[in-house]
Amino acid sequence: MTSGRDGTETSGSGDIARTLELLWDTGRRPSRGPKPGLTVDRIVEAAVRIADSEGLEAVSMRRVATELGTGTMSLYRYVPGKGELLDLMLDRVQRPAEDRADLGPDDDGGWRCALQAMGRETLALYRRHPWLLRVNQSRPMLGPSALDGMEKVLSRIKPMGLSDPELISAIIMIDGYVVGAARTQLYAQEAERHTGLTDTEFWEAQAPVLEKVMTSGRYPLLAALSEDSFTTEFDHFEFGLQRILDGLEAFVARRGGEASGGGSATTA
């Protein structure tokens, strides 16, 4: 499992061929080890539990072995190392049983409903497993869970009438937005934990200086903002998600008009 300078791990850092065998269950099954009942699934589930409760940095072959009550060498009969284990963990948390996304029936909002549900459930996934934000997934290992999810989304957004690269781009667009929002939320939680100050206490500490600055006349637009401008009750995530979908809806409508000969052939 390759760590970056910022503490991130990188997917696809293990033996690619062996990882694919484990993901798709096409390799030779290990001989029974000294611990009856030990399986790849049990090993991966234990690793996910550790990452959820203690962070990704706590995951090691030795720590997983301790969690399972077995020797470290027993694990290597099933999983070659930490790099392969990470990719199995990534695919594990995307299993249908774990990813509760319900894209709704085909006649319930169509592609917009599907992308909206995908965005909300992806955010929920990162909240359940914040360690995912510590993984560089720019080159993901594509296992059955990842491909099942992609197939499900594509089946619902195909009616958008876009080209295949554009359909993939729409998915990437939503996912990138969600990752940014999830990371912001995670950083806020970490800041509170590291400083010992709640969000309210942090801003109250700045209030005396900020009140003087706002009455100085230097920032008239900021000073004129309503009192609820920075309220935590406003759902910034949902507002942004809906505006992205509005933009896609306008683009799809324009593309449909061009296809029917009702508009210009120029596209953005």
Side-chain angles (χ1 to χ4, degrees), residues 52-106:
D52 287 346
S53 60
E54 303 174 31
L56 189 59
E57 64 278 4
V59 177
S60 68
M61 298 297 276
R62 178 177 295 180
R63 177 69 181 82
V64 173
T66 300
E67 178 79 7
L68 293 171
T70 189
T72 304
M73 294 307 298
S74 298
L75 267 60
Y76 288 105
R77 299 172 183 242
Y78 298 84
V79 181
K82 293 185 292 183
E84 295 82 3
L85 179 59
L86 175 62
D87 288 316
L88 294 173
M89 292 167 64
L90 294 172
D91 200 67
R92 175 62 182 86
V93 299
Q94 295 179 73
R95 283 186 180 179
E98 175 70 19
D99 180 3
R100 304 177 182 86
D102 180 5
L103 301 184
D106 290 341

Short mmCIF file of all heavy atoms in Angstrom, two decimals, residues 52-106:
data_model
loop_
_atom_site.label_atom_id
_atom_site.label_comp_id
_atom_site.label_asym_id
_atom_site.label_seq_id
_atom_site.Cartn_x
_atom_site.Cartn_y
_atom_site.Cartn_z
N ASP A 52 -12.67 2.05 9.46
CA ASP A 52 -13.82 2.85 9.88
C ASP A 52 -13.64 3.41 11.29
O ASP A 52 -14.01 4.56 11.57
CB ASP A 52 -15.10 2.01 9.83
CG ASP A 52 -15.60 1.75 8.41
OD1 ASP A 52 -15.11 2.42 7.49
OD2 ASP A 52 -16.47 0.88 8.25
N SER A 53 -13.10 2.60 12.17
CA SER A 53 -13.02 2.99 13.57
C SER A 53 -11.71 3.69 13.94
O SER A 53 -11.69 4.53 14.85
CB SER A 53 -13.20 1.76 14.48
OG SER A 53 -12.19 0.79 14.22
N GLU A 54 -10.62 3.34 13.25
CA GLU A 54 -9.32 3.87 13.65
C GLU A 54 -8.60 4.65 12.56
O GLU A 54 -7.55 5.25 12.82
CB GLU A 54 -8.42 2.71 14.10
CG GLU A 54 -9.01 1.87 15.24
CD GLU A 54 -8.15 0.67 15.55
OE1 GLU A 54 -6.92 0.75 15.37
OE2 GLU A 54 -8.71 -0.37 15.96
N GLY A 55 -9.14 4.63 11.34
CA GLY A 55 -8.49 5.33 10.24
C GLY A 55 -7.68 4.38 9.38
O GLY A 55 -7.28 3.30 9.83
N LEU A 56 -7.45 4.78 8.15
CA LEU A 56 -6.76 3.92 7.19
C LEU A 56 -5.32 3.63 7.62
O LEU A 56 -4.79 2.56 7.34
CB LEU A 56 -6.77 4.58 5.81
CG LEU A 56 -6.27 3.75 4.64
CD1 LEU A 56 -7.09 2.48 4.47
CD2 LEU A 56 -6.30 4.57 3.35
N GLU A 57 -4.71 4.58 8.32
CA GLU A 57 -3.33 4.40 8.73
C GLU A 57 -3.17 3.25 9.73
O GLU A 57 -2.07 2.72 9.92
CB GLU A 57 -2.77 5.69 9.34
CG GLU A 57 -3.44 6.14 10.61
CD GLU A 57 -4.73 6.91 10.38
OE1 GLU A 57 -5.15 7.03 9.21
OE2 GLU A 57 -5.33 7.39 11.38
N ALA A 58 -4.27 2.84 10.37
CA ALA A 58 -4.21 1.75 11.35
C ALA A 58 -4.25 0.38 10.69
O ALA A 58 -3.98 -0.63 11.35
CB ALA A 58 -5.36 1.88 12.36
N VAL A 59 -4.59 0.34 9.41
CA VAL A 59 -4.73 -0.95 8.72
C VAL A 59 -3.36 -1.50 8.34
O VAL A 59 -2.58 -0.84 7.65
CB VAL A 59 -5.60 -0.81 7.45
CG1 VAL A 59 -5.67 -2.14 6.70
CG2 VAL A 59 -6.99 -0.33 7.82
N SER A 60 -3.06 -2.67 8.81
CA SER A 60 -1.84 -3.40 8.45
C SER A 60 -2.18 -4.87 8.49
O SER A 60 -3.19 -5.28 9.09
CB SER A 60 -0.70 -3.08 9.42
OG SER A 60 -0.98 -3.62 10.70
N MET A 61 -1.37 -5.68 7.86
CA MET A 61 -1.62 -7.12 7.87
C MET A 61 -1.58 -7.65 9.30
O MET A 61 -2.38 -8.50 9.70
CB MET A 61 -0.60 -7.83 6.99
CG MET A 61 -0.65 -7.42 5.53
SD MET A 61 -2.21 -7.82 4.71
CE MET A 61 -1.92 -9.54 4.25
N ARG A 62 -0.66 -7.13 10.11
CA ARG A 62 -0.56 -7.58 11.50
C ARG A 62 -1.80 -7.17 12.30
O ARG A 62 -2.33 -7.96 13.08
CB ARG A 62 0.69 -6.98 12.14
CG ARG A 62 0.85 -7.34 13.62
CD ARG A 62 2.13 -6.79 14.20
NE ARG A 62 3.29 -7.40 13.56
CZ ARG A 62 4.55 -7.09 13.87
NH1 ARG A 62 4.81 -6.17 14.78
NH2 ARG A 62 5.56 -7.69 13.25
N ARG A 63 -2.26 -5.93 12.07
CA ARG A 63 -3.44 -5.45 12.81
C ARG A 63 -4.68 -6.24 12.42
O ARG A 63 -5.52 -6.57 13.28
CB ARG A 63 -3.65 -3.96 12.52
CG ARG A 63 -4.88 -3.36 13.17
CD ARG A 63 -4.72 -3.28 14.68
NE ARG A 63 -5.92 -2.72 15.30
CZ ARG A 63 -7.02 -3.43 15.56
NH1 ARG A 63 -7.07 -4.72 15.26
NH2 ARG A 63 -8.06 -2.85 16.12
N VAL A 64 -4.82 -6.56 11.15
CA VAL A 64 -5.97 -7.34 10.69
C VAL A 64 -5.91 -8.75 11.27
O VAL A 64 -6.93 -9.32 11.70
CB VAL A 64 -6.03 -7.39 9.15
CG1 VAL A 64 -7.12 -8.35 8.68
CG2 VAL A 64 -6.27 -6.00 8.58
N ALA A 65 -4.72 -9.32 11.32
CA ALA A 65 -4.56 -10.66 11.88
C ALA A 65 -4.97 -10.67 13.35
O ALA A 65 -5.64 -11.60 13.82
CB ALA A 65 -3.11 -11.11 11.72
N THR A 66 -4.58 -9.63 14.08
CA THR A 66 -4.96 -9.53 15.49
C THR A 66 -6.48 -9.43 15.62
O THR A 66 -7.07 -10.06 16.50
CB THR A 66 -4.30 -8.29 16.13
OG1 THR A 66 -2.87 -8.43 16.04
CG2 THR A 66 -4.70 -8.15 17.58
N GLU A 67 -7.09 -8.66 14.76
CA GLU A 67 -8.54 -8.51 14.77
C GLU A 67 -9.24 -9.85 14.57
O GLU A 67 -10.29 -10.12 15.16
CB GLU A 67 -8.96 -7.53 13.67
CG GLU A 67 -10.45 -7.30 13.52
CD GLU A 67 -11.03 -6.35 14.55
OE1 GLU A 67 -10.24 -5.75 15.32
OE2 GLU A 67 -12.26 -6.18 14.58
N LEU A 68 -8.65 -10.70 13.74
CA LEU A 68 -9.24 -11.99 13.42
C LEU A 68 -8.76 -13.10 14.35
O LEU A 68 -9.22 -14.25 14.24
CB LEU A 68 -8.92 -12.36 11.97
CG LEU A 68 -9.57 -11.47 10.90
CD1 LEU A 68 -9.01 -11.79 9.53
CD2 LEU A 68 -11.08 -11.66 10.90
N GLY A 69 -7.83 -12.78 15.23
CA GLY A 69 -7.34 -13.78 16.16
C GLY A 69 -6.51 -14.86 15.51
O GLY A 69 -6.59 -16.04 15.88
N THR A 70 -5.69 -14.48 14.54
CA THR A 70 -4.86 -15.44 13.84
C THR A 70 -3.46 -14.88 13.65
O THR A 70 -3.19 -13.72 13.98
CB THR A 70 -5.48 -15.81 12.47
OG1 THR A 70 -4.76 -16.89 11.89
CG2 THR A 70 -5.45 -14.61 11.53
N GLY A 71 -2.56 -15.68 13.11
CA GLY A 71 -1.21 -15.20 12.87
C GLY A 71 -1.13 -14.41 11.58
O GLY A 71 -1.88 -14.64 10.63
N THR A 72 -0.20 -13.46 11.54
CA THR A 72 -0.06 -12.61 10.36
C THR A 72 0.23 -13.42 9.10
O THR A 72 -0.33 -13.15 8.03
CB THR A 72 1.07 -11.58 10.56
OG1 THR A 72 0.82 -10.83 11.74
CG2 THR A 72 1.15 -10.63 9.38
N MET A 73 1.07 -14.43 9.23
CA MET A 73 1.43 -15.23 8.05
C MET A 73 0.22 -15.95 7.47
O MET A 73 0.20 -16.24 6.26
CB MET A 73 2.53 -16.23 8.42
CG MET A 73 3.86 -15.57 8.78
SD MET A 73 4.45 -14.42 7.52
CE MET A 73 4.67 -15.52 6.13
N SER A 74 -0.78 -16.23 8.28
CA SER A 74 -1.98 -16.91 7.77
C SER A 74 -2.69 -16.05 6.73
O SER A 74 -3.26 -16.56 5.76
CB SER A 74 -2.94 -17.22 8.92
OG SER A 74 -2.34 -18.10 9.85
N LEU A 75 -2.65 -14.71 6.93
CA LEU A 75 -3.33 -13.81 6.00
C LEU A 75 -2.70 -13.86 4.62
O LEU A 75 -3.39 -13.72 3.60
CB LEU A 75 -3.30 -12.38 6.53
CG LEU A 75 -4.50 -11.93 7.36
CD1 LEU A 75 -4.67 -12.81 8.60
CD2 LEU A 75 -4.35 -10.47 7.76
N TYR A 76 -1.38 -14.04 4.57
CA TYR A 76 -0.69 -14.00 3.28
C TYR A 76 -1.05 -15.21 2.40
O TYR A 76 -0.75 -15.20 1.21
CB TYR A 76 0.82 -13.94 3.51
CG TYR A 76 1.29 -12.60 4.01
CD1 TYR A 76 1.66 -12.44 5.35
CD2 TYR A 76 1.34 -11.48 3.18
CE1 TYR A 76 2.09 -11.20 5.83
CE2 TYR A 76 1.76 -10.26 3.65
CZ TYR A 76 2.13 -10.12 4.98
OH TYR A 76 2.54 -8.89 5.44
N ARG A 77 -1.69 -16.23 2.98
CA ARG A 77 -2.17 -17.34 2.17
C ARG A 77 -3.35 -16.91 1.32
O ARG A 77 -3.68 -17.56 0.32
CB ARG A 77 -2.61 -18.50 3.06
CG ARG A 77 -1.51 -19.09 3.93
CD ARG A 77 -2.12 -20.09 4.90
NE ARG A 77 -1.11 -20.62 5.80
CZ ARG A 77 -0.76 -21.90 5.86
NH1 ARG A 77 -1.34 -22.76 5.06
NH2 ARG A 77 0.16 -22.30 6.72
N TYR A 78 -4.02 -15.81 1.72
CA TYR A 78 -5.23 -15.36 1.05
C TYR A 78 -5.03 -14.04 0.30
O TYR A 78 -5.56 -13.86 -0.80
CB TYR A 78 -6.35 -15.17 2.09
CG TYR A 78 -6.72 -16.45 2.79
CD1 TYR A 78 -6.01 -16.90 3.89
CD2 TYR A 78 -7.80 -17.21 2.34
CE1 TYR A 78 -6.34 -18.09 4.54
CE2 TYR A 78 -8.15 -18.40 2.99
CZ TYR A 78 -7.41 -18.83 4.08
OH TYR A 78 -7.75 -20.01 4.69
N VAL A 79 -4.30 -13.11 0.92
CA VAL A 79 -4.05 -11.79 0.32
C VAL A 79 -2.56 -11.52 0.34
O VAL A 79 -1.94 -11.58 1.40
CB VAL A 79 -4.80 -10.68 1.10
CG1 VAL A 79 -4.56 -9.32 0.45
CG2 VAL A 79 -6.29 -10.97 1.17
N PRO A 80 -1.95 -11.21 -0.83
CA PRO A 80 -0.49 -11.05 -0.90
C PRO A 80 0.07 -9.93 -0.03
O PRO A 80 1.17 -10.05 0.50
CB PRO A 80 -0.24 -10.75 -2.38
CG PRO A 80 -1.43 -11.31 -3.09
CD PRO A 80 -2.58 -11.11 -2.15
N GLY A 81 -0.67 -8.84 0.14
CA GLY A 81 -0.13 -7.73 0.90
C GLY A 81 -1.13 -6.60 1.05
O GLY A 81 -2.29 -6.69 0.67
N LYS A 82 -0.64 -5.49 1.60
CA LYS A 82 -1.51 -4.36 1.90
C LYS A 82 -2.04 -3.66 0.65
O LYS A 82 -3.15 -3.11 0.66
CB LYS A 82 -0.76 -3.36 2.78
CG LYS A 82 -0.44 -3.89 4.17
CD LYS A 82 0.20 -2.83 5.04
CE LYS A 82 1.59 -2.46 4.55
NZ LYS A 82 2.27 -1.48 5.44
N GLY A 83 -1.24 -3.65 -0.42
CA GLY A 83 -1.70 -3.01 -1.66
C GLY A 83 -2.92 -3.69 -2.22
O GLY A 83 -3.91 -3.04 -2.58
N GLU A 84 -2.89 -5.00 -2.30
CA GLU A 84 -4.04 -5.76 -2.80
C GLU A 84 -5.21 -5.65 -1.84
O GLU A 84 -6.38 -5.55 -2.26
CB GLU A 84 -3.65 -7.23 -2.99
CG GLU A 84 -2.59 -7.48 -4.05
CD GLU A 84 -1.17 -7.26 -3.56
OE1 GLU A 84 -0.99 -6.96 -2.35
OE2 GLU A 84 -0.24 -7.39 -4.37
N LEU A 85 -4.93 -5.64 -0.54
CA LEU A 85 -5.99 -5.54 0.46
C LEU A 85 -6.75 -4.23 0.31
O LEU A 85 -7.99 -4.20 0.41
CB LEU A 85 -5.38 -5.63 1.87
CG LEU A 85 -6.37 -5.51 3.04
CD1 LEU A 85 -7.43 -6.59 2.97
CD2 LEU A 85 -5.61 -5.58 4.37
N LEU A 86 -6.05 -3.14 0.05
CA LEU A 86 -6.71 -1.85 -0.12
C LEU A 86 -7.71 -1.89 -1.27
O LEU A 86 -8.85 -1.41 -1.14
CB LEU A 86 -5.68 -0.75 -0.36
CG LEU A 86 -6.25 0.64 -0.68
CD1 LEU A 86 -7.08 1.17 0.49
CD2 LEU A 86 -5.14 1.62 -1.02
N ASP A 87 -7.32 -2.46 -2.40
CA ASP A 87 -8.23 -2.53 -3.54
C ASP A 87 -9.45 -3.40 -3.24
O ASP A 87 -10.56 -3.11 -3.70
CB ASP A 87 -7.49 -3.04 -4.77
CG ASP A 87 -6.51 -2.01 -5.33
OD1 ASP A 87 -6.90 -0.83 -5.42
OD2 ASP A 87 -5.37 -2.38 -5.64
N LEU A 88 -9.25 -4.44 -2.47
CA LEU A 88 -10.39 -5.29 -2.07
C LEU A 88 -11.32 -4.51 -1.13
O LEU A 88 -12.54 -4.66 -1.20
CB LEU A 88 -9.87 -6.55 -1.38
CG LEU A 88 -9.07 -7.53 -2.26
CD1 LEU A 88 -8.49 -8.65 -1.40
CD2 LEU A 88 -9.95 -8.10 -3.36
N MET A 89 -10.74 -3.70 -0.26
CA MET A 89 -11.55 -2.87 0.64
C MET A 89 -12.39 -1.87 -0.15
O MET A 89 -13.57 -1.65 0.14
CB MET A 89 -10.64 -2.12 1.62
CG MET A 89 -9.93 -3.00 2.63
SD MET A 89 -8.60 -2.11 3.50
CE MET A 89 -9.55 -0.84 4.38
N LEU A 90 -11.77 -1.25 -1.14
CA LEU A 90 -12.47 -0.26 -1.95
C LEU A 90 -13.67 -0.87 -2.65
O LEU A 90 -14.76 -0.29 -2.70
CB LEU A 90 -11.52 0.37 -2.98
CG LEU A 90 -10.37 1.21 -2.42
CD1 LEU A 90 -9.41 1.60 -3.53
CD2 LEU A 90 -10.91 2.45 -1.72
N ASP A 91 -13.49 -2.06 -3.21
CA ASP A 91 -14.59 -2.71 -3.89
C ASP A 91 -15.63 -3.21 -2.89
O ASP A 91 -16.83 -3.18 -3.17
CB ASP A 91 -14.08 -3.88 -4.74
CG ASP A 91 -15.07 -4.29 -5.82
OD1 ASP A 91 -15.28 -3.48 -6.76
OD2 ASP A 91 -15.65 -5.39 -5.73
N ARG A 92 -15.17 -3.62 -1.71
CA ARG A 92 -16.09 -4.16 -0.71
C ARG A 92 -17.12 -3.14 -0.27
O ARG A 92 -18.31 -3.46 -0.14
CB ARG A 92 -15.29 -4.66 0.51
CG ARG A 92 -16.17 -5.13 1.69
CD ARG A 92 -17.02 -6.31 1.27
NE ARG A 92 -17.88 -6.74 2.36
CZ ARG A 92 -19.08 -6.21 2.60
NH1 ARG A 92 -19.54 -5.23 1.83
NH2 ARG A 92 -19.81 -6.65 3.60
N VAL A 93 -16.71 -1.90 -0.02
CA VAL A 93 -17.65 -0.91 0.49
C VAL A 93 -18.63 -0.43 -0.57
O VAL A 93 -19.59 0.29 -0.26
CB VAL A 93 -16.92 0.31 1.11
CG1 VAL A 93 -16.07 -0.12 2.28
CG2 VAL A 93 -16.08 1.04 0.06
N GLN A 94 -18.40 -0.81 -1.83
CA GLN A 94 -19.33 -0.44 -2.90
C GLN A 94 -20.31 -1.56 -3.24
O GLN A 94 -21.11 -1.42 -4.16
CB GLN A 94 -18.53 -0.08 -4.16
CG GLN A 94 -17.66 1.14 -4.00
CD GLN A 94 -16.88 1.46 -5.26
OE1 GLN A 94 -17.43 1.93 -6.26
NE2 GLN A 94 -15.58 1.18 -5.24
N ARG A 95 -20.26 -2.66 -2.50
CA ARG A 95 -21.19 -3.75 -2.76
C ARG A 95 -22.62 -3.27 -2.59
O ARG A 95 -22.90 -2.39 -1.77
CB ARG A 95 -20.94 -4.91 -1.80
CG ARG A 95 -19.74 -5.76 -2.14
CD ARG A 95 -19.65 -6.96 -1.22
NE ARG A 95 -18.50 -7.79 -1.55
CZ ARG A 95 -18.18 -8.89 -0.89
NH1 ARG A 95 -18.92 -9.28 0.14
NH2 ARG A 95 -17.14 -9.61 -1.26
N PRO A 96 -23.57 -3.84 -3.34
CA PRO A 96 -24.97 -3.44 -3.23
C PRO A 96 -25.50 -3.44 -1.80
O PRO A 96 -26.27 -2.58 -1.41
CB PRO A 96 -25.69 -4.47 -4.10
CG PRO A 96 -24.68 -4.84 -5.12
CD PRO A 96 -23.36 -4.84 -4.39
N ALA A 97 -25.05 -4.40 -0.99
CA ALA A 97 -25.53 -4.46 0.39
C ALA A 97 -25.04 -3.28 1.21
O ALA A 97 -25.66 -2.87 2.17
CB ALA A 97 -25.08 -5.76 1.05
N GLU A 98 -23.89 -2.72 0.80
CA GLU A 98 -23.31 -1.59 1.51
C GLU A 98 -23.76 -0.27 0.89
O GLU A 98 -24.08 0.68 1.58
CB GLU A 98 -21.77 -1.67 1.45
CG GLU A 98 -21.05 -0.48 2.05
CD GLU A 98 -21.18 -0.42 3.55
OE1 GLU A 98 -21.52 -1.44 4.15
OE2 GLU A 98 -20.97 0.67 4.11
N ASP A 99 -23.82 -0.24 -0.43
CA ASP A 99 -24.23 0.97 -1.14
C ASP A 99 -25.74 0.90 -1.35
O ASP A 99 -26.24 0.23 -2.24
CB ASP A 99 -23.51 1.04 -2.50
CG ASP A 99 -23.91 2.28 -3.29
OD1 ASP A 99 -24.69 3.09 -2.77
OD2 ASP A 99 -23.42 2.42 -4.41
N ARG A 100 -26.48 1.62 -0.52
CA ARG A 100 -27.93 1.51 -0.50
C ARG A 100 -28.62 2.42 -1.52
O ARG A 100 -29.80 2.72 -1.41
CB ARG A 100 -28.45 1.84 0.89
CG ARG A 100 -27.83 0.95 1.98
CD ARG A 100 -28.32 1.35 3.35
NE ARG A 100 -27.71 0.56 4.40
CZ ARG A 100 -26.55 0.82 4.97
NH1 ARG A 100 -25.85 1.86 4.56
NH2 ARG A 100 -26.06 0.06 5.91
N ALA A 101 -27.87 2.89 -2.49
CA ALA A 101 -28.44 3.82 -3.48
C ALA A 101 -29.63 3.19 -4.18
O ALA A 101 -29.56 2.08 -4.68
CB ALA A 101 -27.38 4.21 -4.50
N ASP A 102 -30.74 3.89 -4.18
CA ASP A 102 -31.93 3.47 -4.91
C ASP A 102 -32.18 4.51 -5.98
O ASP A 102 -32.61 5.62 -5.69
CB ASP A 102 -33.13 3.35 -3.97
CG ASP A 102 -34.40 2.90 -4.69
OD1 ASP A 102 -34.30 2.59 -5.90
OD2 ASP A 102 -35.46 2.87 -4.06
N LEU A 103 -31.89 4.17 -7.22
CA LEU A 103 -32.02 5.14 -8.30
C LEU A 103 -33.45 5.33 -8.73
O LEU A 103 -33.75 6.14 -9.60
CB LEU A 103 -31.16 4.71 -9.49
CG LEU A 103 -29.66 4.57 -9.20
CD1 LEU A 103 -28.91 4.24 -10.48
CD2 LEU A 103 -29.10 5.81 -8.56
N GLY A 104 -34.38 4.62 -8.12
CA GLY A 104 -35.79 4.80 -8.41
C GLY A 104 -36.21 4.10 -9.69
O GLY A 104 -35.39 3.67 -10.49
N PRO A 105 -37.52 3.94 -9.89
CA PRO A 105 -38.02 3.32 -11.12
C PRO A 105 -37.72 4.17 -12.33
O PRO A 105 -37.46 5.37 -12.23
CB PRO A 105 -39.53 3.20 -10.87
CG PRO A 105 -39.83 4.29 -9.88
CD PRO A 105 -38.62 4.36 -9.00
N ASP A 106 -37.75 3.56 -13.50
CA ASP A 106 -37.38 4.26 -14.73
C ASP A 106 -38.25 5.48 -15.01
O ASP A 106 -37.81 6.41 -15.69
CB ASP A 106 -37.46 3.30 -15.92
CG ASP A 106 -36.36 2.25 -15.87
OD1 ASP A 106 -35.37 2.49 -15.16
OD2 ASP A 106 -36.51 1.21 -16.52
#
